[in-house]
Amino acid sequence: GALGGLGLALGLWRRHTALAASREDEEDKELRQRFMAPPVSGLRELRRRRRELRSRMEVLIMETQAEMCRALAALDPGASFSVDTWERKEGGGGISCVLQDGEVFEKAGVNVSVVSGLLTEEAARQMRSRGKSLKAKDGKLPFCAMGVSSVIHPKNPHVPTMHFNYRYFEIEEADGTKQWWFGGGTDLTPTYLNEEDAVHFHKTLKEACDKHDLKLYPKYKKWCDDYFYIKHRGERRGIGGIFFDDVDSPSKEEVFQFVKSCAKAVVPCYIPIVKKHCHDSFTPEEKLWQQLRRGRYVEFNLVYDRGTKFGLLTPGSRIESILMSLPLTARWEYMHIPPESSKEAEILEVLRNPKDWVH
Protein backbone atom coordinates (compact mmCIF):
# COMPACT_ATOMS: atom_id res chain seq x y z
CA GLY A 1 0.00 0.00 0.00
CA ALA A 2 2.81 2.39 0.95
CA LEU A 3 4.56 1.73 -2.39
CA GLY A 4 1.31 2.32 -4.26
CA GLY A 5 0.85 5.62 -2.39
CA LEU A 6 4.42 6.61 -3.24
CA GLY A 7 3.84 5.76 -6.91
CA LEU A 8 0.69 7.89 -6.92
CA ALA A 9 2.50 10.79 -5.25
CA LEU A 10 5.35 10.51 -7.78
CA GLY A 11 2.87 10.42 -10.65
CA LEU A 12 1.08 13.51 -9.32
CA TRP A 13 4.40 15.31 -8.80
CA ARG A 14 5.50 14.48 -12.36
CA ARG A 15 2.20 15.70 -13.72
CA HIS A 16 2.44 18.88 -11.67
CA THR A 17 6.03 19.44 -12.89
CA ALA A 18 5.02 18.80 -16.51
CA LEU A 19 2.08 21.21 -16.16
CA ALA A 20 4.32 23.86 -14.60
CA ALA A 21 6.88 23.39 -17.39
CA SER A 22 4.25 23.66 -20.12
CA ARG A 23 2.80 26.74 -18.39
CA GLU A 24 6.30 28.26 -18.36
CA ASP A 25 6.69 27.45 -22.07
CA GLU A 26 3.37 29.15 -22.78
CA GLU A 27 4.45 32.19 -20.74
CA ASP A 28 7.78 32.29 -22.61
CA LYS A 29 5.97 32.17 -25.93
CA GLU A 30 3.57 34.90 -24.89
CA LEU A 31 6.41 37.13 -23.63
CA ARG A 32 8.38 36.58 -26.84
CA GLN A 33 5.34 37.65 -28.87
CA ARG A 34 4.82 40.69 -26.65
CA PHE A 35 8.38 42.02 -27.05
CA MET A 36 10.48 43.14 -30.04
CA ALA A 37 13.35 40.82 -29.00
CA PRO A 38 14.26 38.58 -26.04
CA PRO A 39 14.80 40.72 -22.91
CA VAL A 40 18.34 41.61 -21.84
CA SER A 41 18.03 39.78 -18.49
CA GLY A 42 16.59 36.65 -20.15
CA LEU A 43 13.07 35.26 -19.75
CA ARG A 44 14.05 32.73 -17.08
CA GLU A 45 15.71 35.38 -14.90
CA LEU A 46 12.75 37.74 -15.29
CA ARG A 47 10.37 34.98 -14.25
CA ARG A 48 12.54 33.94 -11.31
CA ARG A 49 12.61 37.51 -10.01
CA ARG A 50 9.14 38.50 -11.25
CA ARG A 51 8.17 40.15 -7.94
CA GLU A 52 11.26 42.34 -7.79
CA LEU A 53 10.80 45.86 -9.03
CA ARG A 54 13.83 45.65 -11.32
CA SER A 55 12.20 42.79 -13.25
CA ARG A 56 8.80 44.48 -13.38
CA MET A 57 10.42 47.66 -14.70
CA GLU A 58 12.28 45.68 -17.37
CA VAL A 59 9.00 44.06 -18.49
CA LEU A 60 7.34 47.52 -18.57
CA ILE A 61 10.04 49.10 -20.75
CA MET A 62 10.04 46.09 -23.11
CA GLU A 63 6.22 46.32 -23.44
CA THR A 64 6.38 50.09 -24.01
CA GLN A 65 8.97 49.59 -26.75
CA ALA A 66 6.85 46.95 -28.50
CA GLU A 67 3.60 48.98 -28.19
CA MET A 68 5.20 52.08 -29.72
CA CYS A 69 7.01 50.18 -32.50
CA ARG A 70 3.83 48.36 -33.51
CA ALA A 71 1.78 51.57 -33.47
CA LEU A 72 4.36 53.36 -35.66
CA ALA A 73 4.76 50.42 -38.06
CA ALA A 74 0.97 50.30 -38.54
CA LEU A 75 1.07 53.92 -39.78
CA ASP A 76 4.05 53.35 -42.08
CA PRO A 77 3.41 49.89 -43.59
CA GLY A 78 6.08 50.19 -46.29
CA ALA A 79 8.84 50.67 -43.71
CA SER A 80 10.14 48.24 -41.14
CA PHE A 81 12.11 48.47 -37.92
CA SER A 82 15.60 47.10 -37.80
CA VAL A 83 15.89 45.35 -34.44
CA ASP A 84 19.41 45.46 -33.14
CA THR A 85 20.34 43.57 -29.96
CA TRP A 86 23.63 44.62 -28.37
CA GLU A 87 25.69 43.61 -25.37
CA ARG A 88 27.85 45.70 -23.10
CA LYS A 89 30.97 43.94 -21.94
CA GLU A 90 30.83 45.75 -18.58
CA GLY A 91 27.37 44.27 -17.96
CA GLY A 92 23.94 44.27 -19.56
CA GLY A 93 22.94 45.44 -23.01
CA GLY A 94 19.98 46.67 -24.97
CA ILE A 95 17.63 46.50 -27.92
CA SER A 96 17.57 49.31 -30.49
CA CYS A 97 14.60 49.44 -32.87
CA VAL A 98 15.07 52.00 -35.63
CA LEU A 99 12.99 52.80 -38.70
CA GLN A 100 14.55 55.03 -41.37
CA ASP A 101 13.34 56.61 -44.61
CA GLY A 102 9.72 55.50 -44.33
CA GLU A 103 6.80 57.21 -46.07
CA VAL A 104 5.58 58.73 -42.80
CA PHE A 105 8.68 58.68 -40.57
CA GLU A 106 12.06 59.94 -41.67
CA LYS A 107 13.59 58.40 -38.57
CA ALA A 108 11.94 56.75 -35.59
CA GLY A 109 13.87 55.00 -32.85
CA VAL A 110 12.69 53.19 -29.73
CA ASN A 111 15.52 51.91 -27.55
CA VAL A 112 15.65 49.80 -24.44
CA SER A 113 18.79 49.46 -22.33
CA VAL A 114 19.43 47.48 -19.16
CA VAL A 115 22.97 48.04 -17.94
CA SER A 116 24.86 47.34 -14.75
CA GLY A 117 28.40 47.56 -13.47
CA LEU A 118 30.48 50.20 -11.74
CA LEU A 119 29.78 53.89 -12.08
CA THR A 120 32.76 56.05 -12.97
CA GLU A 121 33.77 58.93 -10.71
CA GLU A 122 32.81 61.37 -13.49
CA ALA A 123 29.29 59.96 -13.85
CA ALA A 124 28.89 59.83 -10.06
CA ARG A 125 30.03 63.45 -9.85
CA GLN A 126 27.30 64.45 -12.31
CA MET A 127 24.78 62.82 -10.00
CA ARG A 128 26.23 64.38 -6.88
CA SER A 129 25.89 67.78 -8.53
CA ARG A 130 22.13 67.03 -8.59
CA GLY A 131 22.10 66.66 -4.81
CA LYS A 132 22.69 62.90 -4.52
CA SER A 133 25.28 62.14 -1.83
CA LEU A 134 26.78 58.77 -2.73
CA LYS A 135 29.34 56.90 -0.62
CA ALA A 136 31.66 55.01 -2.95
CA LYS A 137 33.78 52.00 -2.02
CA ASP A 138 37.35 52.36 -3.36
CA GLY A 139 36.07 55.10 -5.66
CA LYS A 140 33.55 52.73 -7.27
CA LEU A 141 29.77 52.52 -7.12
CA PRO A 142 27.91 49.39 -8.30
CA PHE A 143 24.86 50.48 -10.28
CA CYS A 144 21.98 49.20 -12.36
CA ALA A 145 20.14 51.43 -14.84
CA MET A 146 17.36 50.64 -17.24
CA GLY A 147 15.04 52.61 -19.45
CA VAL A 148 13.12 53.01 -22.65
CA SER A 149 13.84 56.02 -24.82
CA SER A 150 12.28 57.11 -28.09
CA VAL A 151 12.55 59.96 -30.59
CA ILE A 152 10.29 60.15 -33.64
CA HIS A 153 11.08 62.50 -36.54
CA PRO A 154 8.23 62.47 -39.10
CA LYS A 155 8.67 63.53 -42.76
CA ASN A 156 5.64 65.81 -42.87
CA PRO A 157 6.26 69.21 -41.20
CA HIS A 158 2.64 69.17 -39.94
CA VAL A 159 3.34 66.07 -37.83
CA PRO A 160 5.29 66.99 -34.66
CA THR A 161 8.46 65.32 -33.46
CA MET A 162 7.93 63.42 -30.21
CA HIS A 163 10.27 62.18 -27.51
CA PHE A 164 9.70 60.05 -24.44
CA ASN A 165 11.93 58.36 -21.91
CA TYR A 166 11.23 56.39 -18.70
CA ARG A 167 14.04 55.05 -16.57
CA TYR A 168 14.98 53.49 -13.25
CA PHE A 169 18.31 53.76 -11.45
CA GLU A 170 19.72 51.84 -8.50
CA ILE A 171 23.06 52.38 -6.76
CA GLU A 172 24.68 50.34 -4.01
CA GLU A 173 26.76 52.37 -1.60
CA ALA A 174 29.85 51.29 0.35
CA ASP A 175 27.77 50.20 3.38
CA GLY A 176 25.43 48.07 1.22
CA THR A 177 22.47 50.48 1.30
CA LYS A 178 20.71 50.97 -2.00
CA GLN A 179 19.63 54.30 -3.37
CA TRP A 180 17.01 54.22 -6.14
CA TRP A 181 15.10 56.73 -8.21
CA PHE A 182 12.96 57.06 -11.32
CA GLY A 183 13.04 59.66 -14.07
CA GLY A 184 11.34 60.31 -17.35
CA GLY A 185 8.93 62.32 -19.39
CA THR A 186 7.14 62.78 -22.71
CA ASP A 187 7.29 65.95 -24.80
CA LEU A 188 6.20 67.29 -28.19
CA THR A 189 8.16 69.39 -30.69
CA PRO A 190 5.92 70.70 -33.49
CA THR A 191 7.25 72.60 -36.51
CA TYR A 192 3.93 74.47 -36.74
CA LEU A 193 1.51 75.15 -33.92
CA ASN A 194 -1.82 73.31 -33.87
CA GLU A 195 -3.67 74.22 -30.66
CA GLU A 196 -6.02 71.22 -30.85
CA ASP A 197 -3.05 68.81 -30.99
CA ALA A 198 -1.28 70.61 -28.14
CA VAL A 199 -4.40 70.34 -25.95
CA HIS A 200 -4.90 66.63 -26.79
CA PHE A 201 -1.26 65.84 -26.02
CA HIS A 202 -1.19 67.68 -22.69
CA LYS A 203 -4.64 66.45 -21.59
CA THR A 204 -3.67 62.81 -22.15
CA LEU A 205 -0.53 63.27 -20.03
CA LYS A 206 -2.47 65.17 -17.37
CA GLU A 207 -4.99 62.29 -17.09
CA ALA A 208 -2.12 59.82 -16.56
CA CYS A 209 -0.67 62.03 -13.79
CA ASP A 210 -4.04 62.83 -12.17
CA LYS A 211 -4.68 59.13 -11.44
CA HIS A 212 -1.89 59.38 -8.86
CA ASP A 213 -1.84 62.96 -7.57
CA LEU A 214 -3.39 66.17 -8.92
CA LYS A 215 -0.21 68.10 -8.06
CA LEU A 216 1.99 66.04 -10.41
CA TYR A 217 0.96 67.36 -13.84
CA PRO A 218 1.44 71.12 -13.09
CA LYS A 219 4.73 70.39 -11.31
CA TYR A 220 6.16 68.14 -14.05
CA LYS A 221 4.80 70.34 -16.87
CA LYS A 222 6.76 73.30 -15.47
CA TRP A 223 9.83 71.10 -14.97
CA CYS A 224 9.55 70.07 -18.65
CA ASP A 225 9.34 73.70 -19.85
CA ASP A 226 12.37 74.59 -17.71
CA TYR A 227 14.42 71.52 -18.68
CA PHE A 228 14.02 71.70 -22.48
CA TYR A 229 15.26 75.29 -22.58
CA ILE A 230 17.90 76.22 -25.15
CA LYS A 231 19.59 78.97 -23.14
CA HIS A 232 21.67 80.34 -25.98
CA ARG A 233 18.52 80.76 -28.13
CA GLY A 234 16.14 81.91 -25.38
CA GLU A 235 13.54 79.35 -26.48
CA ARG A 236 12.22 75.92 -25.52
CA ARG A 237 12.88 72.90 -27.67
CA GLY A 238 9.15 72.30 -28.11
CA ILE A 239 5.75 72.82 -26.47
CA GLY A 240 6.63 70.58 -23.54
CA GLY A 241 4.73 67.81 -21.81
CA ILE A 242 6.00 66.33 -18.55
CA PHE A 243 9.49 65.76 -17.19
CA PHE A 244 10.79 64.52 -13.82
CA ASP A 245 13.99 63.13 -12.38
CA ASP A 246 15.40 61.73 -9.13
CA VAL A 247 11.90 60.75 -7.92
CA ASP A 248 12.22 58.45 -4.90
CA SER A 249 9.03 59.06 -2.90
CA PRO A 250 6.38 58.36 -1.62
CA SER A 251 7.37 54.68 -2.10
CA LYS A 252 9.03 52.51 -4.73
CA GLU A 253 5.73 50.82 -5.64
CA GLU A 254 3.79 54.10 -5.91
CA VAL A 255 6.41 55.74 -8.12
CA PHE A 256 6.56 52.62 -10.31
CA GLN A 257 2.76 52.69 -10.76
CA PHE A 258 2.96 56.38 -11.71
CA VAL A 259 5.73 55.69 -14.26
CA LYS A 260 3.64 52.83 -15.65
CA SER A 261 0.66 55.17 -16.21
CA CYS A 262 2.93 57.66 -18.01
CA ALA A 263 4.46 54.92 -20.20
CA LYS A 264 0.99 53.63 -21.11
CA ALA A 265 0.02 57.18 -22.21
CA VAL A 266 2.69 57.59 -24.93
CA VAL A 267 0.77 55.83 -27.72
CA PRO A 268 -2.61 57.55 -27.05
CA CYS A 269 -1.07 61.02 -26.64
CA TYR A 270 0.85 60.93 -29.94
CA ILE A 271 -0.45 58.39 -32.48
CA PRO A 272 -3.83 60.18 -33.07
CA ILE A 273 -1.87 63.37 -34.00
CA VAL A 274 0.24 61.44 -36.54
CA LYS A 275 -2.88 59.83 -38.06
CA LYS A 276 -4.55 63.22 -38.36
CA HIS A 277 -1.70 64.98 -40.21
CA CYS A 278 0.52 62.42 -41.94
CA HIS A 279 -1.23 62.98 -45.31
CA ASP A 280 -1.45 66.79 -45.06
CA SER A 281 0.01 68.60 -48.05
CA PHE A 282 3.05 70.81 -47.43
CA THR A 283 5.22 73.26 -49.38
CA PRO A 284 9.02 73.28 -49.86
CA GLU A 285 9.10 76.37 -47.58
CA GLU A 286 7.36 74.45 -44.80
CA LYS A 287 9.84 71.58 -45.21
CA LEU A 288 12.71 74.09 -44.97
CA TRP A 289 11.29 75.49 -41.70
CA GLN A 290 11.10 71.92 -40.34
CA GLN A 291 14.81 71.46 -41.16
CA LEU A 292 15.70 74.66 -39.30
CA ARG A 293 13.66 73.62 -36.25
CA ARG A 294 15.42 70.26 -36.27
CA GLY A 295 18.70 72.16 -36.07
CA ARG A 296 17.50 73.55 -32.72
CA TYR A 297 16.61 70.01 -31.62
CA VAL A 298 20.18 68.91 -32.32
CA GLU A 299 21.59 71.93 -30.45
CA PHE A 300 19.62 71.06 -27.31
CA ASN A 301 20.48 67.36 -27.42
CA LEU A 302 24.20 67.85 -27.88
CA VAL A 303 24.70 70.86 -25.61
CA TYR A 304 22.26 70.37 -22.72
CA ASP A 305 20.59 66.97 -22.64
CA ARG A 306 21.45 65.15 -19.41
CA GLY A 307 20.78 61.67 -20.82
CA THR A 308 23.09 62.23 -23.80
CA LYS A 309 25.84 63.56 -21.53
CA PHE A 310 25.45 60.66 -19.08
CA GLY A 311 25.49 58.12 -21.92
CA LEU A 312 28.65 59.58 -23.41
CA LEU A 313 30.37 59.39 -20.00
CA THR A 314 29.33 55.77 -19.25
CA PRO A 315 32.05 53.25 -20.19
CA GLY A 316 30.99 50.78 -22.88
CA SER A 317 27.86 52.75 -23.76
CA ARG A 318 26.61 52.40 -27.31
CA ILE A 319 27.11 55.70 -29.14
CA GLU A 320 24.75 54.79 -32.01
CA SER A 321 21.89 54.28 -29.53
CA ILE A 322 22.68 57.50 -27.63
CA LEU A 323 22.74 59.59 -30.82
CA MET A 324 19.68 57.87 -32.27
CA SER A 325 17.73 60.95 -31.14
CA LEU A 326 19.30 63.07 -33.87
CA PRO A 327 17.27 63.58 -37.05
CA LEU A 328 18.38 62.16 -40.37
CA THR A 329 18.52 65.68 -41.81
CA ALA A 330 18.66 69.19 -40.31
CA ARG A 331 19.76 72.65 -41.38
CA TRP A 332 21.50 75.71 -39.96
CA GLU A 333 21.05 78.95 -41.90
CA TYR A 334 22.91 82.09 -40.98
CA MET A 335 20.68 84.75 -39.37
CA HIS A 336 17.34 83.20 -40.32
CA ILE A 337 14.43 85.23 -38.96
CA PRO A 338 10.84 84.39 -40.01
CA PRO A 339 8.52 87.22 -41.16
CA GLU A 340 6.36 88.85 -38.45
CA SER A 341 2.83 87.42 -38.03
CA SER A 342 3.79 84.31 -40.04
CA LYS A 343 2.98 80.71 -38.97
CA GLU A 344 6.71 80.32 -38.31
CA ALA A 345 6.74 83.36 -35.99
CA GLU A 346 3.67 81.95 -34.18
CA ILE A 347 5.46 78.79 -33.01
CA LEU A 348 8.51 80.85 -31.93
CA GLU A 349 6.27 82.97 -29.69
CA VAL A 350 5.03 79.82 -27.86
CA LEU A 351 8.57 78.44 -27.55
CA ARG A 352 9.67 81.70 -25.90
CA ASN A 353 6.61 81.95 -23.66
CA PRO A 354 5.21 78.52 -22.66
CA LYS A 355 1.41 78.21 -22.46
CA ASP A 356 -0.99 76.41 -20.18
CA TRP A 357 -2.74 74.01 -22.59
CA VAL A 358 -5.25 72.30 -20.33
CA HIS A 359 -7.15 75.08 -18.54
Side-chain angles (χ1 to χ4, degrees):
L3 281 174
L6 183 62
L8 182 68
L10 272 170
L12 284 170
W13 178 78
R14 281 199 192 100
R15 209 164 85 218
H16 173 74
T17 310
L19 275 171
S22 81
R23 200 162 54 238
E24 282 191 5
D25 288 345
E26 278 303 305
E27 267 183 37
D28 278 4
K29 201 169 145 194
E30 190 212 331
L31 283 174
R32 273 198 296 272
Q33 284 168 347
R34 253 163 60 195
F35 301 153
M36 297 299 286
V40 175
S41 298
L43 290 168
R44 189 166 293 155
E45 186 63 13
L46 281 185
R47 187 185 297 105
R48 194 173 67 79
R49 294 164 56 171
R50 58 156 60 102
R51 286 186 182 82
E52 285 183 31
L53 192 124
R54 273 169 66 165
S55 295
R56 291 162 67 209
M57 182 66 180
E58 187 169 348
V59 168
L60 174 65
I61 61 179
M62 294 290 295
E63 283 177 348
T64 306
Q65 179 184 49
E67 279 162 21
M68 186 47 106
C69 287
R70 284 172 188 143
L72 296 171
L75 294 176
D76 208 341
S80 62
F81 276 94
S82 68
V83 179
D84 198 0
T85 305
W86 52 273
E87 278 182 29
R88 178 176 172 272
K89 70 175 191 303
E90 293 83 354
I95 300 146
S96 299
C97 297
V98 181
L99 181 159
Q100 282 188 157
D101 277 326
E103 285 296 307
V104 175
F105 303 107
E106 196 166 297
K107 188 178 179 192
V110 193
N111 286 353
V112 153
S113 67
V114 180
V115 299
S116 55
L118 297 169
L119 209 55
T120 61
E121 274 293 301
E122 178 58 29
R125 207 168 18 249
Q126 262 213 353
M127 288 181 172
R128 287 201 186 95
S129 71
R130 307 200 321 249
K132 290 264 171 222
S133 74
L134 303 165
K135 299 182 282 292
K137 187 179 181 181
D138 309 323
K140 301 260 172 27
L141 284 159
F143 82 101
C144 151
M146 60 181 71
V148 57
S149 178
S150 174
V151 177
I152 296 144
H153 293 290
K155 276 201 163 156
N156 193 312
H158 298 295
V159 181
T161 283
M162 193 264 243
H163 156 260
F164 74 85
N165 171 293
Y166 290 99
R167 57 196 179 276
Y168 172 69
F169 219 97
E170 204 174 84
I171 280 183
E172 193 175 322
E173 296 190 76
D175 60 2
T177 55
K178 281 187 180 165
Q179 285 211 28
W180 58 269
W181 61 92
F182 288 88
T186 304
D187 60 278
L188 198 68
T189 306
T191 301
Y192 288 96
L193 184 63
N194 180 303
E195 296 230 356
E196 206 178 84
D197 297 345
V199 170
H200 164 79
F201 186 80
H202 277 268
K203 267 197 166 155
T204 310
L205 294 177
K206 182 181 184 295
E207 280 163 22
C209 294
D210 286 356
K211 281 182 204 161
H212 301 271
D213 186 338
L214 296 178
K215 292 192 207 82
L216 296 177
Y217 170 77
K219 180 183 174 183
Y220 294 157
K221 191 260 183 203
K222 184 184 183 312
W223 198 339
C224 189
D225 288 334
D226 293 345
Y227 178 75
F228 291 106
Y229 182 58
I230 309 169
K231 293 186 194 73
H232 61 271
R233 297 283 188 183
E235 62 192 47
R236 272 88 197 151
R237 188 178 78 174
I239 60 159
I242 55 170
F243 178 86
F244 56 90
D245 209 355
D246 299 337
V247 178
D248 56 6
S249 66
S251 72
K252 205 184 252 192
E253 185 59 33
E254 284 168 287
V255 186
F256 173 70
Q257 291 301 334
F258 164 66
V259 167
K260 191 173 181 175
S261 295
C262 294
K264 295 290 174 201
V266 291
V267 167
C269 77
Y270 181 60
I271 294 298
I273 298 173
V274 183
K275 277 185 179 162
K276 186 174 149 190
H277 297 291
C278 63
H279 299 301
D280 288 5
S281 59
F282 59 89
T283 64
E285 291 74 27
E286 287 169 333
K287 187 69 186 170
L288 173 66
W289 177 242
Q290 181 194 45
Q291 298 291 87
L292 293 166
R293 295 313 310 160
R294 283 187 185 165
R296 298 284 207 268
Y297 203 93
V298 172
E299 286 175 31
F300 177 84
N301 281 29
L302 294 183
V303 178
Y304 300 113
D305 188 67
R306 206 184 274 173
T308 305
K309 282 182 175 173
F310 179 79
L312 297 174
L313 288 170
T314 306
S317 58
R318 192 166 185 269
I319 303 304
E320 283 299 312
S321 298
I322 294 162
L323 299 182
M324 168 215 79
S325 63
L326 302 182
L328 214 50
T329 58
R331 189 175 171 100
W332 287 265
E333 272 188 24
Y334 184 68
M335 301 292 278
H336 184 281
I337 298 163
E340 271 184 56
S341 306
S342 63
K343 292 294 252 176
E344 290 77 13
E346 179 190 33
I347 187 83
L348 280 182
E349 175 57 31
V350 172
L351 299 177
R352 286 170 187 151
N353 304 291
K355 276 180 73 166
D356 176 352
W357 297 103
V358 294
H359 295 103

